């Protein structure tokens, strides 16, 4: 068993079977819906927002990095996948792009009756007001993107 559940969202409206197929391919093992007794459970449902497909993976596998698998799933789906980063900043995520690139971003989130809606993805530059939160973006291993106003650290 891994470190806990994974909670992702995808930038397209994707059929649950396609999501589970992409996840199974990335993990090289079977993935099941919410079937009692299965060793890797996956729940896929749809909400509003810019990332309308929510993916919850339970009983995650040990020995694999979540961001590596999310990146592989993004490539297989040809859609961006948003996953939590390593800060406790509620607006900060890691974006796995369809080409597999991983980068830090900020997202506006609103809770609805159907689930969380995420909108307005923007790069984490260190200048976003959300970066000033006590769980600062500079503390993450996913560093803010440099800008002309804020060049990368040497």
């Amino acid at each position: 068993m891994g470190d806990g559940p994974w909670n992702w969202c995808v930038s397209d409206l994707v059929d649950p079977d396609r999501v589970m197929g992409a996840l199974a391919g990335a993990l090289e093992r079977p993935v099941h819906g919410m079937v009692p007794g299965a060793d890797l459970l996956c729940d896929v449902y749809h909400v509003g927002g810019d990332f309308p497909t929510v993916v919850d993976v339970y009983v995650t596998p040990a020995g694999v990095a979540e961001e590596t698998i999310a990146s592989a799933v993004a490539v297989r789906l040809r859609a961006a996948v948003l996953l939590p980063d390593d800060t406790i900043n509620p607006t900060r995520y890691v974006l796995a792009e369809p080409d597999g690139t991983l980068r830090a971003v900020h997202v506006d989130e609103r809770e609805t009756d159907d689930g969380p809606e995420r909108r307005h993805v923007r790069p984490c530059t260190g200048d976003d007001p959300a970066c000033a939160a006590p769980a600062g973006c500079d503390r993450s291993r996913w560093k803010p993107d440099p800008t002309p106003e804020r060049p990368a650290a040497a």
Side-chain angles (χ1 to χ4, degrees), residues 9-148:
C9 51
V10 182
S11 64
D12 288 334
L13 199 59
V14 184
D15 180 75
D17 287 337
R18 188 165 167 237
V19 172
M20 287 188 272
L23 185 58
L27 289 170
E28 297 180 345
R29 62 189 285 187
V31 174
H32 305 279
M34 300 304 287
V35 178
D39 65 339
L40 190 68
L41 304 175
C42 181
D43 188 19
V44 179
Y45 58 97
H46 298 110
V47 297
D50 296 339
F51 288 79
T53 302
V54 177
V55 181
D56 292 326
V57 182
Y58 302 97
V59 192
T60 58
V64 295
E66 178 181 9
E67 62 272 6
T68 301
I69 299 305
S71 175
V73 168
V75 170
R76 284 172 169 76
L77 293 177
R78 295 185 187 102
V81 173
L82 200 60
L83 62 146
D85 78 340
D86 57 352
T87 70
I88 56 171
N89 184 328
T91 72
R92 193 153 190 276
Y93 288 82
V94 173
L95 182 69
E97 298 188 48
D99 68 358
T101 302
L102 295 167
R103 65 185 176 102
V105 297
H106 286 281
V107 179
D108 295 334
E109 186 172 312
R110 182 174 69 103
E111 196 61 44
T112 70
D113 290 342
D114 294 327
E117 287 187 2
R118 295 173 181 101
R119 300 179 187 274
H120 188 227
V121 173
R122 57 207 178 273
C124 176
T125 62
D127 292 329
D128 192 293
C131 294
C137 299
D138 287 332
R139 295 182 181 167
S140 172
R141 69 185 178 114
W142 304 100
K143 298 300 179 203
D145 288 338
T147 64

